[in-house]
Every structure is written in structure tokens, then in C-alpha cells.
């Protein structure tokens, strides 16, 4: 590339990436500290093309948030409510089924389900939910329940997480989303999500899922109180577990939206920071096939640009997305299939419709 000179301070890292050498923690910190966004994009694009070619993925999906009642009430969250709040809700199974049937004709392939840690909903509620969804269409891919929720289900039922996962898998669970990871740093978690499970427990639950044959996603919430070093440590913890299990399908960097949260003094991310995190994630996570740039977090235009900075997935059509919009995201709540295909094609990629299993 003609913009990379012989005096580029990242030349040693360029050589490492081009020769497929694994980068170290120190290398990752240098990348996070760099302001050379073009070199970062160049390196990420090398790894992206080597890993997935010119394919870019999307899905037709609906987001179901069964309840916003949550015992954690994390400072980072604008979605959760107490049981006594006037706008607290819990959907019935009939209401959830009705929501899905109402949009099934849009060509849905995936149902994405996450919600609050409700203090009394039994595991049987969630089992029947999955069973009903599969009755609507057995081909639906159900990606549901963060590690935080799974730990909560186990605690309420007084059983091991492994048993929770076995029961949910039998009911129809296909994959697990990556939510709840936030930043693994204990220092930061104490400030942004003090009642959530620890980062090590999050990793443990995903390892258990992988051992049971359940594929999962991973996330990182960035742009709040974390340092660049803590971002890198988070990524390397994911890379280490992926070395052991190979169970992660996709990594999803999540830009923090501070509006209406109790961290509202935080300014949030810039487009420059978003592209840097996506690029560095692709470069460091050399054992992850997919990096997702969620258009509802970044906006469609920035997500499209991310396809040139290591991302290969724009996410789904996302009917009824509520959580990031509750925190002040200003993008529309839905993009149809033609719009996503247009974004992908204009970026010079080949659009592939899939679900979180990436079976296409």
C-alpha cells in the first residue's frame, strides 16, 4: 500500500500480520494507541480477506426482550426497570408468540432474545417460550439469553448452569449471544455493572456452553471508563478461550451509548474510535472468523465503512430492537433486507444472508 512508508512506526507489526504471526499484548496496546487509522484498516482488511474472503453477512431477525425488570439495575443500562416502576413490563408467552407471528412473513430466519434478570420468572417460562417459537417455524435459529441471564436462571432454580443449558437446548436454543461481557476488568465492572457476574464467570459460562456443543458470540462494550490496556486484555481473554474451545462464532464490539444511563457524564465514542476498535479486534482475534459491526449501534453509514476495517457482518434487520435505543441511539429501529444488501454491495462485498450459526 502506497500510504505505508518505510518510516511507519507500525512496520514491524505490518510484517507480523502479513506473515500471519500472532500479535502479543504489547503489540495490541500499540495498535490501540495508534492514530494511524489507515494502517490499522489495511492490516484488518488483510486478516478479514484471509479469513472470510469478500463475503459480508446479515440476517433477517427480530429482537424479543421478554422483560425489562432486572435486579441488577446496572449504571450502564437505560433499559432495566424495578418491578414497581410504571413502565416496567413482562411479556406473556402469548404476547411473545403474537409478536413473532406478526412479522414471520418478513422472511425471518433468527429470533434474538435477551432481557432483564426477572426475580421470579421460572426456567419453565423460558423453556416454553423456545418451544413455542420452534412450533411457529422449526427452522428459526434462536439466539437467546446472555451468560448473565443463564447464571440468574441457575441461581433461581438452584441448579448448575450446565443443567440450565441442557434444558434450554432441548427446548430449542441454538446459540447464545455475547451480551453481559462489557469489559472484563474488575475495576471497571465495579463501576458500571457491580451486581453482574464477574468477567471470569462470563468466560466460564461460555466455556460450559462450548463443551455442550452450543456456539456463542462474544462482545466488548467500549467507550465508557475502560483504558486502552483493558480493551486489549479483554480481547486476549476471548482469544485464549477460543484457543481452548473454538466455540465462539463471532465477536461484536459494542459502542457505549450513554444517554439516559447513570453514566450520562460519559461522552461516548467517536467514529474514529469505532473503526479503530473494530480493526484492532480483527487483527488481535486471529482465531475468530467473524467480526460484527452492528448498524443499530454505529449507524448504517459507519457500519458500512467498517466493512473496510475488518468487519464482515452488519447484524440483522432487528425488528423491535429496544435496548440500545433506550440508551439514546438515534438510528432507525429497523432496516429491511434490500437496504442491508445495498450497504454491503456498495462496499464491494458479496452479501450473504445467514443466522448466528453461519451455516451458509
Amino acid at each position: 500500500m502506497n500510504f505505508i512508508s518505510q518510516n511507519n512506526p507500525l512496520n514491524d507489526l505490518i510484517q507480523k500480520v502479513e506473515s500471519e504471526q500472532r500479535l502479543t499484548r504489547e503489540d495490541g496496546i500499540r495498535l490501540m494507541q495508534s492514530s494511524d487509522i489507515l494502517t490499522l484498516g489495511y492490516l484488518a482488511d488483510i486478516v478479514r480477506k484471509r479469513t472470510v474472503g469478500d463475503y459480508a453477512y446479515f440476517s433477517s431477525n427480530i429482537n424479543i426482550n421478554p422483560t425489562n425488570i432486572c435486579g441488577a439495575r446496572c449504571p450502564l443500562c437505560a433499559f432495566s426497570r424495578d418491578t414497581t416502576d410504571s413502565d416496567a413490563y413482562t411479556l406473556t408467552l402469548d404476547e411473545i408468540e403474537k409478536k413473532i407471528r406478526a412479522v414471520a412473513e418478513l422472511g425471518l430466519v433468527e429470533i434474538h432474545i435477551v432481557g432483564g434478570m426477572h426475580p421470579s420468572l421460572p426456567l419453565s417460562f423460558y423453556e416454553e417460550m423456545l418451544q413455542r417459537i420452534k412450533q411457529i417455524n422449526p427452522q428459526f435459529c434462536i439466539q437467546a439469553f446472555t451468560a448473565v441471564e443463564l447464571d440468574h436462571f441457575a441461581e433461581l432454580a438452584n441448579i448448575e448452569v450446565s443443567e440450565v443449558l441442557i434444558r434450554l437446548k432441548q427446548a430449542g436454543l441454538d446459540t447464545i449471544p455475547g451480551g453481559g461481557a462489557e469489559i472484563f476488568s474488575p475495576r471497571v465492572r465495579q463501576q458500571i455493572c457491580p451486581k453482574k457476574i464477574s468477567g471470569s464467570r462470563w468466560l466460564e459460562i461460555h466455556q460450559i456452553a462450548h463443551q455442550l456443543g452450543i456456539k456463542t458470540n462474544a462482545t466488548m462494550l467500549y467507550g465508557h471508563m475502560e483504558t486502552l490496556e483493558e480493551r486489549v486484555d479483554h480481547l486476549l481473554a476471548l482469544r485464549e478461550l477460543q484457543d481452548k474451545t473454538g466455540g465462539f462464532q463471532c465477536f461484536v464490539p459494542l459502542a457505549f451509548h450513554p444517554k439516559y444511563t447513570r453514566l450520562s457524564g460519559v461522552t461516548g465514542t467517536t467514529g474514529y474510535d469505532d473503526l479503530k476498535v473494530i480493526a484492532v479486534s480483527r487483527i488481535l482475534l486471529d482465531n475468530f472468523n467473524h467480526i460484527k459491526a452492528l448498524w443499530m449501534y454505529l449507524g448504517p453509514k459507519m457500519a458500512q465503512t467498517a466493512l473496510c476495517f475488518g468487519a464482515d457482518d452488519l447484524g440483522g434487520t432487528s425488528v423491535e430492537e429496544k435496548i440500545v435505543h433506550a440508551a439514546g441511539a438515534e438510528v432507525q429501529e429497523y432496516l429491511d433486507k434490500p437496504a442491508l444488501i445495498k450497504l454491503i454491495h456498495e462496499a464491494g462485498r458479496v452479501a450473504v444472508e445467514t443466522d448466528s450459526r453461519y451455516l451458509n
Side-chain angles (χ1 to χ4, degrees):
M1 299 289 287
N2 56 13
F3 62 81
I4 296 178
S5 71
Q6 292 183 346
N7 297 322
N8 191 308
L10 298 178
N11 270 342
D12 58 323
L13 301 187
I14 294 171
Q15 292 173 10
K16 273 191 169 184
V17 172
E18 289 180 337
S19 60
E20 301 186 45
Q21 296 180 54
R22 171 162 279 191
L23 270 60
T24 66
R25 179 178 187 269
E26 291 69 26
D27 295 337
I29 293 170
R30 285 176 59 197
L31 292 175
M32 279 290 184
Q33 291 173 336
S34 175
S35 60
D36 187 352
I37 197 70
L38 290 180
T39 296
L40 295 180
Y42 165 69
L43 295 177
D45 208 48
I46 289 175
V47 183
R48 187 270 313 165
K49 194 175 183 83
R50 182 188 296 153
T51 307
V52 296
D54 284 328
Y55 296 110
Y57 299 86
F58 72 96
S59 66
S60 297
N61 69 342
I62 182 173
N63 288 272
I64 298 292
N65 307 116
T67 182
N68 65 349
I69 296 172
C70 185
R73 297 308 316 270
C74 298
L76 63 81
C77 182
F79 172 73
S80 66
R81 296 292 184 271
D82 291 321
T83 306
T84 55
D85 288 338
S86 61
D87 55 349
Y89 76 86
T90 300
L91 299 175
T92 66
L93 291 171
D94 287 343
E95 288 171 330
I96 292 169
E97 184 175 343
K98 183 178 179 181
K99 281 178 177 287
I100 294 171
R101 289 190 182 278
V103 295
E105 66 218 32
L106 295 176
L108 291 180
V109 299
E110 181 161 298
I111 316 298
H112 185 272
I113 306 169
V114 296
M117 291 189 290
H118 193 285
S120 60
L121 283 178
L123 183 57
S124 59
F125 174 87
Y126 300 99
E127 290 176 291
E128 185 176 346
M129 182 196 308
L130 300 182
Q131 290 163 353
R132 287 196 186 198
I133 292 170
K134 288 293 189 177
Q135 287 170 2
I136 297 172
N137 185 344
Q139 300 306 311
F140 280 154
C141 175
I142 302 177
Q143 182 176 77
F145 313 128
T146 66
V148 178
E149 292 171 89
L150 294 168
D151 185 79
H152 176 66
F153 298 164
E155 184 176 346
L156 277 184
N158 195 28
I159 57 178
E160 296 295 325
V161 165
S162 56
E163 184 176 342
V164 170
L165 286 167
I166 289 168
R167 287 173 56 174
L168 291 174
K169 185 178 181 181
Q170 290 172 343
L173 178 68
D174 292 301
T175 66
I176 296 172
E182 319 311 0
I183 286 284
F184 293 145
S185 163
R187 178 192 72 83
V188 179
R189 294 182 85 82
Q190 185 57 38
Q191 298 178 72
I192 67 173
C193 55
K195 293 185 179 180
K196 272 186 179 170
I197 58 175
S198 66
S200 59
R201 177 60 171 163
W202 186 98
L203 290 163
E204 179 186 5
I205 291 172
H206 278 258
Q207 181 168 354
I208 293 169
H210 298 169
Q211 291 167 343
L212 292 172
I214 303 172
K215 298 291 189 179
T216 75
N217 282 356
T219 63
M220 178 177 74
L221 186 72
Y222 66 94
H224 40 88
M225 298 180 177
E226 84 286 358
T227 65
L228 299 183
E229 290 81 4
E230 287 165 335
R231 290 181 184 178
V232 171
D233 289 338
H234 184 104
L235 294 173
L236 295 183
L238 293 173
R239 190 174 77 178
E240 181 180 356
L241 180 54
Q242 183 74 330
D243 279 343
K244 294 178 182 177
T245 68
F248 287 120
Q249 293 285 77
C250 182
F251 174 69
V252 192
L254 301 175
F256 180 59
H257 288 258
K259 195 174 181 181
Y260 307 128
T261 73
R262 282 177 284 158
L263 300 178
S264 56
V266 177
T267 58
T269 69
T270 65
Y272 197 94
D273 198 27
D274 293 332
L275 292 178
K276 178 190 290 190
V277 168
I278 290 166
V280 175
S281 299
R282 172 60 85 180
I283 298 164
L284 281 184
L285 296 177
D286 53 23
N287 51 7
F288 276 66
N289 286 336
H290 303 288
I291 305 291
K292 186 175 294 189
L294 285 175
W295 65 264
M296 79 284 297
Y297 274 78
L298 301 171
K301 293 180 180 179
M302 185 59 70
Q304 181 188 42
T305 304
L307 293 176
C308 296
F309 284 80
D312 68 294
D313 190 326
L314 294 185
T317 50
S318 296
V319 180
E320 293 225 2
E321 197 290 319
K322 294 183 184 300
I323 293 176
V324 69
H325 285 89
E330 297 178 354
V331 300
Q332 62 264 49
E333 291 191 21
Y334 172 69
L335 272 183
D336 62 19
K337 180 176 171 178
L340 284 170
I341 291 174
K342 184 173 186 286
L343 289 174
I344 290 169
H345 285 173
E346 288 186 350
R349 302 286 184 264
V350 179
V352 179
E353 185 173 10
T354 189
D355 58 45
S356 61
R357 295 168 295 192
Y358 293 97
L359 298 176
N360 305 71

